[in-house]
Amino acid sequence: MRRRLVAEPGNRLPLAFLLIPPLAWLIIAYLGSLAVLLLSAFWTVNEFTGSVVRTFTTDNIVRVLTDAVFRTATLRTLGIALTVTLICAVLAVPLALYMAKVASRRVRLALVVAVTTPLWASYLVKAYAWRMLLSPEGPLHWAVGYTPGYGLTATVLTLSYLWLPYMVIPVFAALERVPDQLIDASSDLGASDLTTIARVVGPLVFPGIAAGSIFTFSLALGDYIAVTIVGGKTQMLGNIIYGQLVTANNQPLAAALSLIPLTAIVGYLLAMRRTGALDNL
Amino acid sequence: MLSTRMRTLLRVWTIGALVFLYAPLLLVLLNAFNSSRTFAFPPSGLTLRWWRDAWASDGMWRSLGNSALVGLCATAIALVLGTMAAFAVQRYRFFGRQTVNLLVVLPITLPGIVTGIALNATFTSALHVALGLATVIVGHATFCIVVVFNNIQARLRRLGTSLEDVSSDLGASTWQTFRYVTFPMTRGALLAGAILAFALSFDEVVVTTFTAGPTVQTLPIWIFGNLFRPNQAPVINVVAATLTVLAVLPVWLAQRFGGDVAGSRV
């Protein structure tokens, strides 16, 4: 009897056939581009013609690290990304807990669909919806007599709205794997609900929260569209990168600036790897 | 078992979260019929006028055509590459399997702006390629691979290998096993993956902005370009409402074909 398809020397050929095209695409088109990005951060621009000059200089990197405008935008962007992640986690955990541990099978399935469907609705339309919602004479003002208007708060709210499903799904998946008996045992032994959630459920779903946070953090970090739509004058790193590339036509400086979110997210991924979150992706 | 009070609290929270998720979308639907050009609420009157205007908008149709073309081409590429990668990872054990996994997921894990700038730098300063539909397709295919990959991988994991083992024990060649056993069982996941990949491409803004150049517009780019023009607002409202209703379509179709809607992008 021959076990097919499990790595035996004779089976290397079909494996190579399957693996080479996707790997070639991802390595050449994707990793290759990231390498060019890294490289071009050390290039410069001819001041008269505006064309990219491929001579090595660390000017862009130095400017990115020292310019106060860039530093403020970086801190603001990191702050927004962390706040959005926190809000998403706070909203998602009770919702996911209900889905996994309280709802009946049918309701659970319906809720999974209900939470994921907005993910497939147009990103622009959703941001635009918040522009309507928060407008000075808009629905929110009509309903509760107050609106934060367009600005930092609106940006945080909109981004939390946009990326909430990315947090709910991994947290729900992690909660679904927690056996009901553990919760029963905890309450039988006299723990209150909050103790059970904090001491039994919490540690078990933490990798799920960490997995979700990778998406919410990364997506919020690189955003420049939502902030343009609802942020008023608020500038995130993405706006500045876009401005350097399109308005100032300084591709190398834009590349150097985009190393900030790249470094932040790689650092975040490395930190999250310790929690086992990457296995939950 | 959680206490009754806690269960009630969680139920209320869930209802609140659903309102939070769906109220903005309902607002978009309502606003497409708003006779006023402003966001003032409640609307002063309802009208179907904007739907006629939107139907007559040339820019909308042209960009819609571009979006469809980009989506189809990117999906076709992603379908081939994603399926191959999923089979390799699920049906073989080899050194670096986890790395392949990470490499496929990376394009949607890293911020779109990083991917966009990277591709832009490669096309313009390294390869000197003119930006246009082709460069958009390359960008979209790169991040669509993961959607196909996740759907096929989930299906293959669920199927296990026993039927394929039986097939080869009974003397079928590798190709015959694939053609008559594996392929029919993964067809639904292939379709679901393709639909969801198309939906992802259709909606993408950031990577598109950096790979399309100034002349080519996809539908999202066209919407974004018109978002702040007050006299275009009603037409945008209609397009927004249509897209919101149509968003149900990929989810519903993919679910019907047994796709992994929840796990495709997460």
Side-chain angles (χ1 to χ4, degrees):
Chain A
M1 194 160 87
R2 185 167 70 100
R3 273 197 74 81
R4 239 174 42 82
L5 296 179
V6 175
E8 287 162 21
N11 265 329
R12 288 289 169 202
L13 207 63
L15 174 61
F17 164 77
L18 286 175
L19 213 47
I20 287 172
L23 278 187
W25 181 284
L26 286 167
I27 290 173
I28 295 171
Y30 194 63
L31 293 186
S33 294
L34 288 178
V36 173
L37 176 75
L38 204 65
L39 218 72
S40 69
F42 295 96
W43 292 341
T44 183
V45 168
N46 184 314
E47 279 182 35
F48 296 106
T49 62
S51 61
V52 173
V53 182
R54 296 186 207 173
T55 43
F56 184 86
T57 167
T58 51
D59 290 358
N60 296 315
I61 306 290
V62 171
R63 212 182 134 192
V64 165
L65 292 175
T66 52
D67 196 317
V69 175
F70 296 157
R71 194 177 319 130
T72 318
T74 302
L75 290 177
R76 185 186 301 124
T77 307
L78 284 174
I80 291 175
L82 288 172
T83 313
V84 166
T85 300
L86 193 71
I87 292 176
C88 285
V90 169
L91 285 171
V93 170
L95 172 61
L97 190 60
Y98 180 82
M99 286 161 71
K101 294 296 167 211
V102 182
S104 67
R105 245 189 85 82
R106 268 187 52 202
V107 174
R108 181 181 314 156
L109 208 70
L111 281 171
V112 170
V113 175
V115 169
T116 17
T117 305
L119 213 52
W120 300 99
S122 161
Y123 163 94
L124 277 175
V125 170
K126 285 180 284 187
Y128 184 55
W130 280 84
R131 192 178 165 82
M132 295 177 188
L133 198 62
L134 299 175
S135 72
E137 288 170 25
L140 190 69
H141 190 267
W142 172 78
V144 298
Y146 167 79
T147 170
Y150 305 138
L152 193 62
T153 314
T155 306
V156 170
L157 267 172
T158 306
L159 290 174
S160 306
Y161 173 80
L162 284 166
W163 311 133
L164 177 63
Y166 280 99
M167 182 63 92
V168 178
I169 296 305
V171 173
F172 164 71
L175 274 169
E176 227 187 0
R177 286 197 289 269
V178 175
D180 289 347
Q181 292 95 315
L182 277 183
I183 298 173
D184 295 346
S186 173
S187 64
D188 288 349
L189 290 169
S192 69
D193 284 337
L194 287 181
T195 313
T196 305
I197 290 169
R199 305 270 299 269
V200 179
V201 179
L204 290 170
V205 294
F206 186 72
I209 299 178
S213 77
I214 291 173
F215 283 100
T216 54
F217 182 76
S218 166
L219 290 165
L221 198 67
D223 187 89
Y224 74 95
I225 305 267
V227 66
T228 310
I229 296 175
V230 298
K233 288 193 176 67
T234 311
Q235 287 249 314
M236 285 175 71
L237 260 180
N239 303 94
I240 292 181
I241 297 174
Y242 180 82
Q244 285 301 333
L245 186 76
V246 177
T247 318
N249 196 25
N250 191 339
Q251 194 267 318
L253 185 58
L257 281 166
S258 69
L259 296 183
I260 302 174
L262 187 62
T263 316
I265 191 67
V266 169
Y268 198 80
L269 277 172
L270 289 176
M272 287 299 125
R273 197 169 65 172
R274 291 162 168 271
T275 66
L278 296 185
D279 308 329
N280 281 286
L281 285 181
Chain B
M1 191 89 157
L2 296 167
S3 69
T4 317
R5 218 179 85 214
M6 181 55 94
R7 298 162 81 89
T8 314
L9 272 175
L10 291 176
R11 177 170 298 128
V12 172
W13 190 274
T14 301
I15 293 169
L18 287 178
V19 171
F20 176 66
L21 280 175
Y22 281 91
L25 297 180
L26 291 176
L27 186 64
V28 170
L29 298 188
L30 176 68
N31 224 30
F33 302 97
N34 188 347
S35 57
S36 153
R37 284 173 194 271
T38 69
F39 296 147
F41 199 86
S44 48
L46 301 176
T47 174
L48 285 172
R49 210 184 114 195
W50 313 124
W51 290 78
R52 210 168 33 237
D53 290 2
W55 190 262
S57 163
D58 284 338
M60 191 270 287
W61 288 111
R62 211 172 316 120
S63 57
L64 182 66
N66 282 340
S67 276
L69 183 66
V70 168
L72 287 176
C73 294
T75 302
I77 297 170
L79 199 56
V80 173
L81 298 179
T83 309
M84 290 177 127
F87 268 92
V89 164
Q90 272 303 310
R91 288 298 184 253
Y92 292 90
R93 299 282 165 272
F94 56 92
F95 178 75
R97 226 170 116 246
Q98 283 305 318
T99 315
V100 174
N101 237 325
L102 190 67
L103 191 58
V104 172
V105 182
L106 208 56
I108 56 162
T109 313
L110 291 186
I113 195 160
V114 172
T115 310
I117 293 264
L119 287 169
N120 181 283
T122 308
F123 289 137
T124 56
S125 342
L127 300 176
H128 301 291
V129 179
L131 296 179
L133 281 179
T135 49
V136 178
I137 291 169
V138 170
H140 282 207
T142 305
F143 63 71
C144 282
I145 294 176
V146 64
V147 178
V148 176
F149 176 80
N150 281 350
N151 272 282
I152 309 276
Q153 209 198 4
R155 175 67 61 91
L156 286 175
R157 195 184 300 138
R158 226 178 15 247
L159 286 174
T161 56
S162 35
L163 286 172
E164 291 167 355
D165 290 344
V166 169
S167 167
S168 72
D169 287 349
L170 290 172
S173 68
T174 305
W175 168 249
Q176 284 173 319
T177 302
F178 176 77
R179 172 70 186 79
Y180 296 109
V181 180
T182 318
F183 178 68
M185 292 193 302
T186 46
R187 202 163 26 200
L190 277 163
L191 258 171
I195 292 163
L196 296 175
F198 182 85
L200 189 63
S201 158
F202 195 77
D203 180 39
E204 215 282 338
V205 205
V206 178
V207 174
T208 317
T209 308
F210 291 105
T211 50
T215 51
V216 171
Q217 286 197 324
T218 60
L219 189 62
I221 301 286
W222 179 80
I223 295 177
F224 191 52
N226 286 290
L227 212 52
F228 304 105
R229 295 186 185 158
N231 60 340
Q232 278 282 36
V235 173
I236 294 295
N237 289 344
V238 169
V239 176
T242 313
L243 287 179
T244 306
V245 173
L246 288 182
V248 183
L249 213 61
V251 177
W252 178 70
L253 282 173
Q255 202 95 30
R256 270 200 54 169
F257 295 125
D260 185 6
V261 173
S264 292
R265 283 168 79 167
V266 179

